Amino acid sequence: MYVLMKSLFISLLIFALYSVVMVSSQLSSADQTTIFNQHNAWRSNPSPAAKGTIKPLVWNTTIATTLQAHMNKCDGRFSPSALQGIVGEFRISMSPSLNVPSMLNFLNATRSYFNWSTKACSPGSCLHNYAVWNTTTSFACGYKQCNGSHYIMCDYFPRGGFSGVWPYTPSSIPAPTTTPTPTNTPTPTTTPKPTTTPTPTTTPKPTTTPTPAPTSAPAPGSIDWRSKSTPVRNQGGCGSCYIFGALAVAEARNKIKTGLDIDLSEQNVLNCYSNGCNGGWPMTVFQLMQPVGVEYENTLPYTAVKQATCSNSTQPRFRWTSQANMAGVTKQHFLDALKAGPVVVALFADGGFQSYGSGVYSCPEQYTGVNHAVVLTGYDASKDAWIIKNSWGTSWGSVGGYIYLSAANDRCNMMKYAGSYVTI
């Protein structure tokens, strides 16, 4: 889940808004110390054992102040820092009273939800992964009693908790364990399992996976560029979806014009884009790299880690003539833009989007922000659905890394901003 700079992590849970009944409250110094010490105890002695050392976290007073100010509103929403893609965040509710040890026990119990072989979380939210995420360096939590319930929210920087990525490299992969059913535990709500952040140690990019193509003649009015698109890639745990989306459009537009498959180096852009794995905007990628071009994958492979050197080397580089945004943000504008080829767009990828399996997906509520960049690859008139190429690997979804997104509504907010494309 790359994450746009205007974004929020993919939410794992939908929760109701609560009445605004506010009671003055915040974490006591004793509770803060308990939470802090337990986090670092988990990191110093993780289970399973880590290959190497997980550095201790520091308590981030800036995050603590900002988070507490947000929690004091009792509005049941994610914090501004999470909405802007700066931190990873979860919220836990308790009643009838605040019980920090119980909250921490619950957090630790979610450790068993994570399958180290598949790098997947089931059946619940792997909140413990936030606490032991290797590349996270600081965190803070806040507390507020609202409408009779007690809430703790914790923010982690840089963000972690991504799907399909180890929180740290284990010394050996343990066998799956039976998931416990905790009793009298708090209720969590979490921010996305983005695609935006940490530094995974193994995030290979598939380069030979066949691109799925329609199996029957498209309905009148349909547009489908999957056969002219390069294979679905995998951004891993780095928040680089904005790069993957932009370069996938360049690759596809080149294939439409020349018939040639190319594989551009997302790593080249990642190294040169100041925000790196912390999200960005696809048009800025085009503007940044158009004057100098982009290296190819075989000369600078993707590692999902921003490297120190931005290379404008003498290696062969791919260049395009220009870049542009679509003329508008109506459904017809998107359909008109698709006639010439795929475009990179932004949307809100919620928990349902993240766990998409099949069919036509429609966000269950109207979102107002965006948190993920994807490639709008076509439109299926028979389904009234957009065909969207993701960057979470071919195992995501049931159609080789693509998703059908309802075009009958815009609840995932795809039409908030105009899509972008390049001219070859």
Side-chain angles (χ1 to χ4, degrees), residues 205-210 231-233 263 297:
K205 235 175 57 157
T207 56
T208 59
T209 304
V232 172
R233 319 291 189 196
D263 187 358
E297 179 71 12

Side-chain angles (χ1 to χ4, degrees), residues 257-269:
K257 182 174 182 178
T258 68
L260 300 176
D261 271 307
I262 58 173
D263 187 358
L264 299 177
S265 172
E266 289 84 6
Q267 189 67 44
N268 184 197
V269 183

Side-chain angles (χ1 to χ4, degrees), residues 273-321:
Y273 198 106
S274 60
N275 214 43
C277 284
N278 294 316
W281 204 250
M283 175 52 82
T284 309
V285 171
F286 292 145
Q287 294 169 335
L288 174 70
M289 304 305 294
Q290 191 264 338
V292 296
V294 179
E295 280 190 53
Y296 292 90
E297 179 71 12
N298 62 351
T299 63
L300 188 56
Y302 183 64
T303 66
V305 181
K306 181 177 170 63
Q307 298 165 351
T309 302
C310 171
S311 171
N312 294 323
S313 70
T314 56
Q315 295 283 356
R317 305 179 75 83
F318 176 79
R319 289 176 169 84
W320 53 90
T321 303

